[in-house]
Amino acid sequence: MRRMVATVLVLLLFAANVIVWPGERAYACSCVESSVKEKLKTNAAVFTGKVVEIGGGSIFSSERYKKYTLDVDTAWKGVDAKKMTILINDLGEESCGTTLVKERSYLIFANQDDKDGKLYSSLCSGNLQIEQAGEAINMLGKGTPASSDDFRNGSGYRDPWMIFLYGGGAVVILTLAGGWLWRRKQRRA
């Protein structure tokens, strides 16, 4: 009996010690440091832009990523539209998450997922507010200023010929489907 009481007391003292003096704070997220040149080489998209739209995800939802749309100012790599959308883990710094603020400009480093083709970024990507990115931008060198004329418009077509290509494909498919239905109707008659 004494032995059991002694064991319980030792366990209670140990538990109290852990609660009162928890030790150093541990973080689940740890990032590998890399230079700006390495980030340019390893990321699929590198650009500066202003956050113009924030959507998806919230603290109360099960969504892990929040969608940020940025109006691109300067591009170094992987930019194919004036407005780029990236997904960022929004679960807090302990989960490598970070938050961008609407109407603020940032230097963005983003990777493209092989499965869904979307651009993803996180705390470890090294995104910087534009006010803090001067040295990094100098290291990146001269980028390409982005203008609406450089990229496709909001319709998603790169040039007018794509409209004819997609329209022609739709006409062929509708003609084939109509012919098949007409032929089927003739066989029944």
CSV table of all heavy atoms in Angstrom, one decimal, residues 2 4 99 107 137:
chain,number,residue,atom,x,y,z
A,2,ARG,N,1.9,1.2,0.9
A,2,ARG,CA,2.8,2.4,0.9
A,2,ARG,C,3.5,2.6,-0.4
A,2,ARG,O,3.7,3.7,-0.8
A,2,ARG,CB,3.9,2.1,2.0
A,2,ARG,CG,3.5,2.5,3.3
A,2,ARG,CD,4.6,2.3,4.3
A,2,ARG,NE,4.4,3.0,5.5
A,2,ARG,CZ,5.3,3.1,6.4
A,2,ARG,NH1,6.4,2.5,6.3
A,2,ARG,NH2,5.0,3.8,7.5
A,4,MET,N,2.4,1.9,-3.4
A,4,MET,CA,1.4,2.5,-4.3
A,4,MET,C,1.2,4.0,-4.0
A,4,MET,O,1.2,4.8,-5.0
A,4,MET,CB,0.1,1.8,-4.3
A,4,MET,CG,-0.9,2.2,-5.4
A,4,MET,SD,-2.2,1.1,-5.6
A,4,MET,CE,-3.4,1.9,-4.5
A,99,THR,N,-0.2,34.7,-43.1
A,99,THR,CA,-1.3,35.4,-43.6
A,99,THR,C,-0.8,36.6,-44.4
A,99,THR,O,0.1,37.3,-43.9
A,99,THR,CB,-2.2,35.9,-42.4
A,99,THR,OG1,-2.6,34.7,-41.7
A,99,THR,CG2,-3.5,36.6,-42.9
A,107,LEU,N,6.7,40.3,-51.9
A,107,LEU,CA,7.6,39.5,-52.8
A,107,LEU,C,7.1,38.1,-52.5
A,107,LEU,O,7.2,37.6,-51.3
A,107,LEU,CB,9.0,39.7,-52.4
A,107,LEU,CG,10.0,38.8,-53.1
A,107,LEU,CD1,10.0,38.8,-54.6
A,107,LEU,CD2,11.5,39.1,-52.6
A,137,ILE,N,15.0,41.8,-53.5
A,137,ILE,CA,14.7,42.2,-54.9
A,137,ILE,C,16.0,42.6,-55.6
A,137,ILE,O,16.2,42.2,-56.8
A,137,ILE,CB,13.7,43.4,-54.9
A,137,ILE,CG1,12.3,42.8,-54.4
A,137,ILE,CG2,13.6,44.0,-56.2
A,137,ILE,CD1,11.3,43.9,-54.2
